[in-house]
Amino acid sequence: MSEAKTVAIVGAGPVGLAAAAHALERGLRPIVLEAGDSVGHAVRRWSHVQMFSPWEYNIDRAAVRLLASTGWNSPEPHQYPTGAELVERYLEPLATKTVLATHIHTSSRVSDISRVGFDKLKSRGREAVPFEIRYQNGQGSKSLRADAIIDASGTWHSPNPAGASGLPAIGETQAADKIAYGMPDVLGKDRARYAGKTVAVLGAGHSAIGTLTDLARLAAQAPQTRPIWLLRGNDPAKAFGGGANDKLAARGELGAAFAALVAAGKIEVEREFRVSNLGLDGPRLTIGGGAACSRRHVAVDELIVATGFRPDLNFLRELRIRLDPAIECPVALAPLIDPNEHSCGTVRPHGARELAQDEPGFYFAGMKSYGRAPTFLMITGYEQVRSIAADLAGDHEAAERVELVLPETGVCNRSAVLDANKCCGGPALSEVDACCVADANARQQGKTGCGCG
């Protein structure tokens, strides 16, 4: 009987642990390497954030089958967990109370991956030798070999910079003490940093509007708090989401609530503000930017950069990786998720075939597989690793049989008529976006709505 194929999995987040669960079910031997000191290390960084997707979209089926033997109680499928709840009620039991426990190595940061005895240039016989994974675990450099690799290391620790060109703004590094990236806990552990301060938030995604919403709540408690939204574009309504038409209800509700805050003047908006430079002026941070024909400056106490993330590809430099030049995701996946074309978050079913690389046995999975695209959902990653595990086990029929149904945001369903009318006098609430929801509610009260300005 041949020895089980070894699969190294980089990252012990939700998708990495799901990959290990599927690998075990397929008779493979997973080795999970996690850079943090515990599973779900990145999720813990946003533990205060309530997820847009309910539990039913956040739990992998193979993981559930492993947990079933431990007496685990499944959460209510239609409730929305926070990051902390996802870790405490799902990831930690999965990692500590099932057979996965012996396969997970924390505090093990991968630094390099190659083929044993083969650099990137050498071709003949390459696919016949195992991968060599170098990692650091506090005891110097370690090495292990694997027959296949699933890179599910995510993108959380590689945030995009403030600069509109994709490069750090001039002075961004020097102003690091005044800048936070992602979603700081402005109502919790980071409250003292932001209460009573003028705080600018750069970005137009859900992280940005969630943080701005929390800052508006903080302003109600600490009246000197002044949130400013730095918007690179000109249309705030694009950030308001799908409203009542969003199949992820929590996401729609957030957009509608945010639209109302903007309409009420609770959040200042600086439109067409493309950050170019940052400078310290005593205790304050001066942010320079604006449109090409209208340069201006905003002075703040703190800046929160919520402009998304990008994959860390440094440790893959000795592998033959082929990525879309713009999105930095697998080439076959790019047209399915390109944010320039897709704003609904819908993705055609995909799996091992789209995620495989020119390096046989290597796959991207999870958030990292989406490169710079922001539309990833956990259920997408779970379906990816189910397909990959089947492919590695030789069950190519199962690998091709990918079933994936994602909730739509509804943003793409806005009609040209709605855009032309700026939401005013629009159709029923079930057919409109969050701006129009706030607009319609305002009109029912005889007021001017967010789109009637």
Side-chain angles (χ1 to χ4, degrees), residues 17-18 21-22 25 55-56 58-75 90 94 98 100 382:
L17 294 181
H22 283 281
E25 283 196 341
W55 276 110
E56 63 180 313
N58 299 320
I59 299 177
D60 174 71
R61 287 175 292 178
V64 168
R65 290 190 284 269
L66 283 181
L67 284 163
S69 62
T70 69
W72 177 71
N73 292 319
S74 176
Y90 174 54
L94 179 61
T98 73
L100 284 188
Y382 297 155

Side-chain angles (χ1 to χ4, degrees), residues 148-187:
I149 295 176
I150 301 173
D151 183 357
S153 58
T155 59
W156 179 261
H157 298 291
S158 302
N160 288 326
S165 62
L167 303 174
I170 295 173
E172 186 167 348
T173 301
Q174 292 79 1
D177 290 345
K178 293 284 186 181
I179 306 173
Y181 298 85
M183 291 190 72
D185 188 1
V186 301
L187 292 173

Side-chain angles (χ1 to χ4, degrees), residues 46-61:
W46 48 269
S47 61
H48 60 289
V49 179
Q50 185 181 51
M51 300 180 68
F52 297 125
S53 51
W55 276 110
E56 63 180 313
Y57 294 130
N58 299 320
I59 299 177
D60 174 71
R61 287 175 292 178

Side-chain angles (χ1 to χ4, degrees), residues 7 27 37 45 48 150 158 235 374 384 421 438:
V7 182
D37 58 5
R45 305 283 79 76
H48 60 289
I150 301 173
S158 302
D235 185 6
Q384 288 176 340
N421 291 336

Side-chain angles (χ1 to χ4, degrees), residues 103-179:
H103 297 268
I104 299 170
H105 303 269
T106 57
S107 299
S108 299
R109 179 179 297 278
V110 173
S111 58
D112 294 282
I113 301 177
S114 186
R115 293 276 190 179
V116 175
F118 284 70
D119 65 15
K120 190 174 187 175
L121 187 62
K122 190 175 180 180
S123 296
R124 185 172 298 174
R126 181 181 190 87
E127 67 280 356
V129 300
F131 290 96
E132 179 179 357
I133 301 101
R134 298 275 180 88
Y135 64 98
Q136 303 282 340
N137 68 350
Q139 301 176 2
S141 183
K142 301 284 185 179
S143 177
L144 64 84
R145 297 182 179 187
D147 301 299
I149 295 176
I150 301 173
D151 183 357
S153 58
T155 59
W156 179 261
H157 298 291
S158 302
N160 288 326
S165 62
L167 303 174
I170 295 173
E172 186 167 348
T173 301
Q174 292 79 1
D177 290 345
K178 293 284 186 181
I179 306 173

